[in-house]
Amino acid sequence: MDELREKLLYQPKNGYDRIDTAERLACEEYCRGYMAYLDAARTEREAVSEAIKLAQAAGFEPLDESAGAIRPGQKVYWSNRGKSLLLAVGGRKPMRAGFVVEAAHVDSPRLDLKQQPLFEDSELGYLRTHYYGGIKKYQWTAIPLEMHGVAALKDGSAVEIVIGRDKTDPQFVVTDLLPHLAQDQMQKTMAKGVEGEKLCILVGSVPYAGEGTDRVKLAVMSLLNDRYGITEEDLISAELEAVPAFDVRELGLDRSMIGGYGQDDRVCAYAELAAILETEAPERTAVCILADKEEIGSYGVTGMTSQAFEWFIERLCGGTCTLQESFAESFCVSADVTAALDPMYPEVSEKQNTARINYGVGFCKFTGSRGKSGASDASAELVARLRRLCDDAGVVWQMCELGKVDQGGGGTVALDMAMRNIDTIDAGVPVLSMHAPFETTGKLDCYMTYKCMKAAYAEG
Ligand code: MN
Ligand code: MN
């Protein structure tokens, strides 16, 4: 009977029971690189600039728009306005044979400053925000924040702004009510307990010397002017993002997990980036996308619905075939995180079909919600292909679904890729506390996602 059970029944196993010491060491080494990247990449712009540094070190060169079709083994990258990045390694087969594309996103939930953010109330200085992406607002109060971004000036130049990352820098906070006086607040639902307009960032308290009104506001603006040469009006054309100031750390006594901000989806972005940087002349051209704007629907010129993708692929084809011919033969892994089973909240998951920490890279046949609405729903053939590909490469993987039926759901860039007539499937790292200021992943799953991405490029 045991033999029959072994033969007929699918029995997923914890990844740590499936890997040897050498692989554990490889996993640790990979995760050190990932943690360093995550620590340095706090915004989509920084995720792109850090990735470019790594790509250049690995021999990638800026795309030469007039160079014709990509050559076998040629390594190129193209930055879409500094907020999204596309990389490619030329395959031995021409672009007409299609390409293998892996698409992750590098934008994460955060607090964006409004365009006219600065004000003073009761002699305290604040910056107003409009949150970006899906957040539980109460999680963003009373935690240390940093400010990252750019102020674009009328003369065409831009000033890069980073405050709070350096250990000697000040940081910021959104305050919350003390429990002693929170009786009314505590009666509200968690959705209403902290309102969006109350997510104002405390930035100063000392008034400018002299007489008059708004002296704290003036003092704050004067400090910004000293450090960056900008005025209040320049903030109108700024993109400033307040992000959690936590360092990326190992979690657990066994150090088996990683805690940090922005792991959705920089954990998959790094996995496919690390994979393409190690890819040499694959069978079919390898393409890596670090997309922007996924958290707000993938719209916008740097999002995955943008024709910037067509523009890039057209350059790789160099007139040797049409885009449609190339797309039709291509294969996409939409690399995005999924929800891990949280034993503290098992009621939102259906245990047989939920991702678990340490069970490897999670394949999602479909995302969406309420009857798969909004999903691209990969074909059975594609799931089989990924099973084979991962098994052949020794990748620990699991099949999963985000939440139980009618509990909610989520989306990725998969549908934007499928819309282009590219066979697409979701695969990524299971995450605990997704979209929180401090997200948790398992090292083994991060490493196995990288192995999966590498195997997909290698197979071509
Ligand atoms: Mn995501
Ligand atoms: Mn997300």
Side-chain angles (χ1 to χ4, degrees):
M1 206 167 89
D2 284 350
E3 221 169 88
L4 195 65
R5 181 174 283 123
E6 182 71 20
K7 189 175 163 201
L8 295 186
L9 300 186
Y10 176 57
Q11 290 165 320
K13 266 201 213 118
N14 190 302
Y16 281 98
D17 292 329
R18 300 180 53 184
I19 63 170
D20 58 19
T21 309
E23 188 129 55
R24 272 183 88 144
L25 292 174
C27 170
E28 290 295 331
E29 194 187 330
Y30 169 79
C31 287
R32 273 193 290 278
Y34 164 53
M35 290 171 72
Y37 176 78
L38 187 65
D39 220 16
R42 301 262 158 177
T43 65
E44 71 284 9
R45 287 178 191 266
E46 291 172 1
V48 166
S49 57
E50 291 297 317
I52 289 176
K53 282 186 213 162
L54 295 173
Q56 285 174 339
F60 282 68
E61 289 181 342
L63 178 73
D64 177 353
E65 295 170 25
S66 55
I70 191 163
R71 298 183 306 276
Q74 191 186 358
K75 299 176 176 182
V76 300
Y77 69 86
W78 177 63
S79 161
N80 182 0
R81 298 158 173 88
K83 298 166 80 170
S84 159
L85 184 69
L86 294 107
L87 307 99
V89 177
R92 297 191 298 277
K93 287 184 176 169
M95 286 296 284
R96 175 184 288 273
F99 51 91
V100 176
V101 56
E102 297 175 355
H105 66 93
V106 287
D107 60 316
S108 295
R110 60 187 189 242
L111 304 180
D112 281 346
L113 295 202
K114 290 192 182 190
Q115 296 329 113
Q116 301 180 79
L118 187 57
F119 72 100
E120 169 175 346
D121 191 335
S122 310
E123 292 170 274
L124 292 176
Y126 290 94
L127 293 167
R128 295 185 200 280
T129 68
H130 192 142
Y131 65 96
Y132 174 100
I135 63 167
K136 293 161 89 172
K137 299 182 194 84
Y138 69 85
Q139 292 180 332
W140 293 71
T141 65
I143 60 166
L145 298 170
E146 305 174 356
M147 200 85 68
H148 294 236
V150 294
L153 307 181
K154 283 198 288 185
D155 67 6
S157 66
V159 186
E160 205 175 311
I161 294 173
V162 179
I163 311 171
R165 187 82 290 259
D166 194 280
K167 291 288 177 240
T168 62
D169 266 355
Q171 294 179 333
F172 308 97
V173 74
V174 173
T175 58
D176 194 4
L177 213 45
L178 61 169
H180 318 60
L181 298 178
Q183 285 182 62
D184 293 343
Q185 184 194 37
M186 298 296 272
Q187 297 309 315
K188 296 180 183 174
T189 62
M190 286 167 97
K192 295 268 171 65
V194 174
E195 286 160 38
E197 289 292 356
K198 284 196 165 42
L199 294 175
C200 293
I201 297 167
L202 185 59
V203 286
S205 67
V206 179
Y208 204 89
E211 299 293 316
T213 56
D214 278 349
R215 290 191 298 140
V216 174
K217 176 176 170 176
L218 183 61
V220 166
M221 205 55 241
S222 155
L223 288 168
L224 281 174
N225 184 262
D226 288 347
R227 187 159 166 167
Y228 297 109
I230 57 173
T231 65
E232 186 181 12
E233 192 180 327
D234 292 329
L235 293 175
I236 287 176
S237 52
E239 278 182 341
L240 293 173
E241 307 175 6
V243 297
F246 306 124
D247 288 336
V248 176
R249 297 293 295 259
E250 293 177 307
L251 296 181
L253 284 171
D254 57 9
R255 299 173 183 268
S256 63
M257 294 164 286
I258 296 170
Y261 162 70
Q263 299 206 67
D264 174 7
D265 183 34
R266 292 171 198 143
V267 64
C268 296
Y270 184 77
E272 55 175 46
L273 179 68
I276 201 166
L277 297 189
E278 292 166 2
T279 297
E280 306 281 345
E283 177 140 319
R284 293 196 294 167
T285 295
V287 177
C288 173
I289 304 174
L290 309 188
D292 183 28
K293 297 281 174 280
E294 193 278 341
E295 295 295 356
I296 55 169
S298 294
Y299 306 114
V301 76
T302 50
M304 237 16 262
T305 56
S306 162
Q307 294 271 319
F309 178 66
E310 275 74 7
W311 185 91
F312 180 74
I313 299 298
E314 209 158 30
R315 295 297 163 298
L316 302 187
C317 293
T320 56
C321 64
T322 67
L323 268 178
Q324 282 69 27
E325 285 167 335
S326 192
F327 283 174
E329 300 298 324
S330 297
F331 168 49
C332 174
V333 181
S334 161
D336 205 344
V337 298
T338 187
L341 171 71
D342 188 333
M344 295 301 113
Y345 303 94
E347 63 278 7
V348 302
S349 302
E350 181 268 287
K351 277 193 172 176
Q352 192 169 2
N353 285 282
T354 193
R356 288 161 191 261
I357 295 287
N358 292 339
Y359 276 69
V361 54
F363 303 164
C364 290
K365 185 175 182 296
F366 52 86
T367 56
S369 55
R370 293 174 305 280
K372 301 190 179 183
S373 180
S376 66
D377 207 358
S379 70
E381 290 83 349
L382 211 56
V383 178
R385 176 180 177 163
L386 207 55
R387 278 175 59 200
R388 178 185 46 69
L389 194 147
C390 284
D391 283 345
D392 288 354
V395 176
V396 177
W397 59 270
Q398 55 185 324
M399 196 72 210
C400 56
E401 198 171 317
L402 192 151
K404 68 181 182 190
V405 177
D406 288 341
Q407 185 69 45
T412 66
V413 299
L415 65 164
D416 306 312
M417 303 306 287
M419 196 186 68
R420 294 172 159 115
N421 194 25
I422 298 176
D423 267 325
T424 303
I425 184 163
D426 278 296
V429 176
V431 176
L432 290 166
S433 318
M434 195 197 294
H435 282 209
F438 194 71
E439 300 174 311
T440 297
T441 56
K443 284 181 178 175
L444 182 137
D445 305 324
C446 300
Y447 172 68
M448 288 300 165
T449 300
Y450 149 76
K451 271 188 83 171
C452 169
M453 299 301 148
K454 202 169 163 179
Y457 281 143
E459 187 186 67

